[in-house]
């Protein structure tokens, strides 16, 4: 056997993620862990009430859930016809063209890195006062962040199904405590009577409507990552759609009920005042009044583990984007290698860990605020980037099915994606107009224009790199967005190129054509 043939047979083992590791429940655990329900209930909900002065946030969660469900119609329809851990990158490449796909990939790397590393600031700041209160241990936030970073780095190179089991335990406990808190709030109404005032859509009306809707959208960030794990599922055509719809539905119901239940306990007319006075402690102070201090301590503990679970989930997502780009040689090929025993994207995971470590050290040495400047600014900025990606993907779905219907009905390929695209474009407009409010900075603050400019710059640089690849490395350009099949396109000129609807991995193709 020739050296080239040997390389061809070995390479797919190192460029293909482990298959048949995840079912619907495991993917849902990854998705909902990224959405951090308890963190959203404690932080985003109260921030929404306090910052906007509007009481319609339960309705906003319902409306955003319906919108994302509509987007998911086309999103999962496209997922049935291509399985690629690069998700947005792959879909946009196939729908709007390879250069735009590379631009989207660069936007995704910026956005998901911001979401992931920002969480280190949150977990450090949330854990430090608890250790001081409970054990008299006074650790700076960055020591705790480094411990979370080390755990994330270790889990990042282990089997994905093991990570799924860890997330399952953390997420179930998180949802149970939310439900207990909700029951306590609904069984202790402020005026002795359960009210439904905040479920009136009229409470959305106000000058800060745009900010409120975008804040509600931030509560769903992570719903889209199910497709990122498609290559590792047992049946991606079935698993990804079910997990996506189920996650959007569960997130929407949990957040809407929790936001409403909070107003029942405080009184609809006092929720804004209480949120401004108590901030993220509203939900815990209510629990203390209903159940006692022990339940507050449990909630605080699960608040920390909620952030930790999201850190794990976004680490895996970001590493898989790097892996997808490395496998297709859009980024250095070393990033597209997996560990032989675990099947995890080892090199990409290690690079992601290196980025996290660098950010923690940089913030610690400069004395920057871990909550506002790390968690809030990077997390909100990351959420804005995901909104850009979702909207572009919705447009790409329409373009993809315009060329070939793939047997999909008009509802999936045209009607639902078109409606979703129009509403999402409106959401982008609202986000840009209200970006300073979302970041909690003055209108003339550099961040208000800087964050959108970063994404615009990343997109144009990525598009430029795609054009350079087209001119200088056509064999790489031709395989952009093909996923596991891209390896077969480079290994042998005589190996038949897989069809667009061919779901075999590169290893399967090479095995059939030695």
């Amino acid at each position: 056997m020739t050296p080239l043939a040997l390389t061809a047979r070995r390479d797919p083992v190192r460029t293909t993620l482990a298959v048949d590791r995840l079912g619907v429940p495991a993917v849902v655990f990854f998705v909902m862990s990224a959405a951090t329900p308890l963190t959203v209930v404690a932080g985003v909900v109260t921030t929404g009430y306090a910052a906007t002065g509007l009481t319609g946030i339960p309705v906003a969660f319902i409306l955003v859930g319906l919108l994302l469900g509509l987007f998911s119609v086309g999103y999962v329809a496209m997922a049935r016809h291509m399985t690629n851990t690069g998700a947005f990158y792959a879909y946009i490449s196939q729908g709007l063209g390879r250069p735009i796909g590379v631009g989207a990939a660069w936007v995704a790397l910026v956005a998901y890195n911001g979401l992931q590393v920002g969480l280190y600031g949150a977990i450090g700041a949330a854990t430090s006062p608890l250790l001081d209160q409970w054990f008299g241990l006074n650790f700076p936030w960055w020591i705790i962040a480094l411990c979370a970073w080390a755990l994330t780095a270790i889990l990042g190179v282990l089997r994905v199904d093991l990570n799924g089991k860890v997330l399952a335990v953390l997420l179930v406990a998180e949802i149970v405590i939310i439900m207990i808190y909700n029951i306590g709030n609904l069984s202790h109404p402020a005026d002795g009577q359960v009210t439904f005032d905040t479920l009136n859509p009229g409470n959305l009306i106000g000058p800060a409507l745009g900010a409120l809707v975008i804040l509600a959208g931030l509560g769903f960030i992570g719903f889209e990552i199910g497709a990122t794990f498609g290559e590792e599922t047992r049946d991606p055509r079935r698993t990804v759609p079910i997990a996506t719809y189920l996650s959007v539905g569960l997130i929407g119901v949990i957040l809407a009920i929790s936001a409403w239940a909070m107003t029942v306990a405080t009184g609809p007319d006092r929720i804004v005042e209480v949120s401004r006075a108590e901030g993220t402690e509203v939900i815990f102070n209510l629990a203390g009044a209903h159940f006692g201090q022990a339940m507050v301590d449990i909630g605080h503990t699960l608040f920390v583990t909620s952030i930790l679970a999201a850190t794990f989930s976004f680490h895996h997502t970001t590493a898989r984007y790097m892996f997808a780009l490395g496998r297709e040689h859009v980024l250095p090929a070393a990033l597209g290698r997996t560990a032989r025993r675990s099947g995890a994207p080892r090199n990409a995971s290690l690079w992601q860990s290196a980025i996290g470590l660098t950010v923690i050290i940089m913030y610690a040495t400069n004395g920057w605020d871990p909550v506002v400047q790390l968690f809030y600014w990077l997390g909100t900025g990351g959420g804005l980037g995901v909104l850009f990606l979702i909207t572009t993907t919705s447009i790409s779905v329409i373009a993809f099915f315009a060329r070939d219907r793939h047997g999909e009905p008009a509802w999936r390929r045209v009607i639902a994606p078109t409606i979703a695209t129009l509403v999402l474009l409106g959401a982008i407009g609202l986000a840009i107009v209200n970006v300073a409010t979302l970041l909690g900075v003055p209108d003339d603050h550099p961040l208000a224009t800087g964050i959108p400019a970063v994404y615009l710059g990343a997109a144009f640089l990525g598009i430029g790199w795609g054009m350079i690849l087209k001119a200088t490395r056509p064999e790489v350009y031709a395989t952009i967005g093909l996923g596991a099949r891209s390896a077969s396109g480079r290994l042998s000129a005589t190996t038949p190129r897989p069809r667009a609807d061919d779901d075999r991995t590169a290893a399967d193709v090479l095995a059939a054509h030695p």
Side-chain angles (χ1 to χ4, degrees), residues 392-412:
T392 308
T393 301
S394 191
I395 297 171
S396 74
V397 169
I398 300 170
F400 177 77
F401 287 116
R403 290 193 294 271
D404 187 338
R405 296 182 179 183
H406 292 281
E408 296 288 352
W411 169 250
R412 292 177 182 171

Side-chain angles (χ1 to χ4, degrees), residues 95-122:
L96 299 178
R98 295 179 180 89
I100 297 178
V102 176
W106 287 32
V107 169
L109 288 177
V110 174
Y112 284 115
N113 267 293
L115 287 165
Q116 200 271 330
V117 300
L119 290 166
Y120 289 127

Side-chain angles (χ1 to χ4, degrees), residues 110-165:
V110 174
Y112 284 115
N113 267 293
L115 287 165
Q116 200 271 330
V117 300
L119 290 166
Y120 289 127
I123 197 168
T127 307
S128 183
L130 297 181
L131 293 178
D132 187 23
Q133 175 186 339
W134 295 342
F135 307 109
L137 301 174
N138 188 13
F139 290 118
W141 73 268
W142 55 269
I143 292 290
I144 299 163
L146 286 175
C147 293
W149 168 84
L151 184 57
T152 304
I154 292 169
L155 287 174
V157 296
L158 298 180
R159 289 171 58 108
V160 69
D161 50 337
L162 173 62
N163 281 266
K165 293 172 183 176

